[in-house]
Amino acid sequence: GLLKIDGNQITRYSEKEGLPRNWTRDILEDGSGNIWATVDSGVMRFNGKEFQLLGAKNGFFDKFPLGMSMDSMGGLWTCSASAIWRISMSTFDASPNTSDETVHHVNGKLLKFGHRDGMKSQYFNVFRDKRNRLSVLANDQDTKLSVLELDKFVPQPSAPSVSLSNLDINDKFVNFRDSLRPYRSEIQFGDIPAFSNCPDKLVVPYHLNRITFSYHAADQLTNHRILYSYKMDGLDQGWSKPSNSSRARYEFLPPGKYTFQVRAMGTSQEWGEPASYPFTVNPPWWRSPWAYAFYGLLVLFGARWVHRYQKERVIRNEQEKARKIELAQAKEIEKAYAELKTTQQELIQREKMASLGELTAGIAHEIQNPLNFVNNFSDINRELIVELQEELKKGDIQEASFIAENLKDNEDKITLHGRRADGIVKSMLQHSRASGGQKEPTDVNKLVDEYVRLAYHGYRARNKDFHVTLDLKPDPEAGQVKMVAQDIGRVLLNLLNNAFHAVDEKAKTMGEGYPSTVTVSTKRTPQGVDIRVEDNGSGIPDAIREKIFQPFFTTKPTGQGTGLGLSLSYDIVTKGHDGLLGMESMEGKGSTFCITLPQH
């Protein structure tokens, strides 16, 4: 075991107290008060509380270390049956290795010096003298005592630097300082630095594209302790696997610009700054820029000649075909045009009939109201006449006079509503007379009021569940404008029907309680009069705003619209009255259409 003597007190540590092995061979104490000892399975450290073993799992493969000694840099030295070991005393967690010949690469914390370092004997003990030399007692026939300079074996504090020394081209060494060496005259290069055979600005021809780079690192350790890794920018994806080889070979490099890089790593386990060597492999003459330019010119001239020949041939063939089918196409076009004109006239007539139907429905509703009053008061007067006759027979003059007054009042009301119906008919007749294209001064506010009511009653006649708030905002100074009243009335009917349809569809989507509103306003401007129809429907999407005035374009379901309403309205306002028909819309908020009629 391990005995600790403190004055007269002796404490024994064995395997029961955590000692890895009961048998110890050598012992020493470091500057931090840790106790180090060699045991059967490795090197042990005792910090006063626990025992720690540096063995096979940490990279220490020798099971029988012998004596120990410390150097001036805090390293612990020990011998085994096959090598000398140096252990960093600042750490105790060296990672394991797979081979006892690479233990010196364990993070710079554990170094092994064996046969590859010239240690060919079996060593039994080590000692350090005042000059920091390591004395080793050897068991061989030639040398009984070996003296080593410990500073030569201390791990390097930083990574070694690396530099390129030579180049082999196509497996032959090229001496760039001697013009008689192989390939010397075929290669372009710049200055040749001292202590190197790798010139600046190296340019090799395409057939000398097998290159081997030789390099070395400056380090105090032997070369087999230095690892190298390299890569070729423009060719390799990453660094090569680390190895002890100081040469890198590349075969059949394609033409292009490259940069060869190599780096080295010593016992510090850190990669040093890589050395870079740029060079260029020139393409053959048939792959040079001038050659490609020549090829391009040949291709262009050839393509032009072929294109010209093919073009003339195609033109001749097409002309021949055109002559054969020209008459047939002309007949087909004429037939299609006639069918198109017929269809267009039918659609226009359909749109006019639809407008006429809407107008008729509104007129019928407008006339029906005063007629209902006339009929109702006539029935009442018939009953009052019977009562009047009965009172006269009775001789009740006072009651007869009262009934006569009622008859007179009812007759006045019959006259009032009859004149109202007569005014509606005359107004429609007046508009009908103006439909021949003759513009006449027309009261804008009155026209708007009539057609708002006609449009509303017409839409209600088709849809009994329709409800909307009509907000009329006439400008008292709107006055009269020369127009074809029936045509502008048709435009108003179309815009109002579209507005009613928009708010009706949105009300169905939003549900009961949605405040459907259509606002119609007039305004006198320096140019004339504006008539605006505004609704709070769903608005017009951006994708179709430019199409709404195109003929036959409609967003209504099939059978509910011809797509000619806005197109005809646009022509009536712009071509028939030299005015403007504009639209503003925000999707989800509503739309506004504005008719601008100029004041002639």
Side-chain angles (χ1 to χ4, degrees), residues 21 25 38-43 56 60-66 80-81 85:
R21 293 291 186 272
R25 291 181 173 84
T38 55
V39 295
D40 291 348
S41 57
V43 178
F60 195 91
F61 290 93
D62 290 344
K63 294 185 178 181
F64 302 102
L66 302 177
S80 67
W85 298 80

Side-chain angles (χ1 to χ4, degrees), residues 232 502 570:
M232 183 75 76
Y570 186 82

Side-chain angles (χ1 to χ4, degrees), residues 2 48 112 143 146 177 180 197 208 225 243 286 312 330 363 413 475 481-482 502 554 586 592 594:
L2 184 66
K112 175 184 177 181
T143 304
S146 298
R177 302 180 188 276
L180 300 179
N197 191 40
L208 301 180
R225 296 188 183 277
S243 69
W286 60 85
E312 291 177 353
I363 293 173
K413 293 177 181 178
D475 184 357
V481 174
K482 276 192 175 184
T554 180
M586 182 177 296
T592 300
C594 180

Side-chain angles (χ1 to χ4, degrees), residues 120-131:
K120 299 181 180 180
S121 301
Q122 291 184 340
Y123 302 92
F124 288 90
N125 215 334
V126 292
F127 306 93
R128 183 174 66 87
D129 61 16
K130 294 181 179 179
R131 290 190 294 169

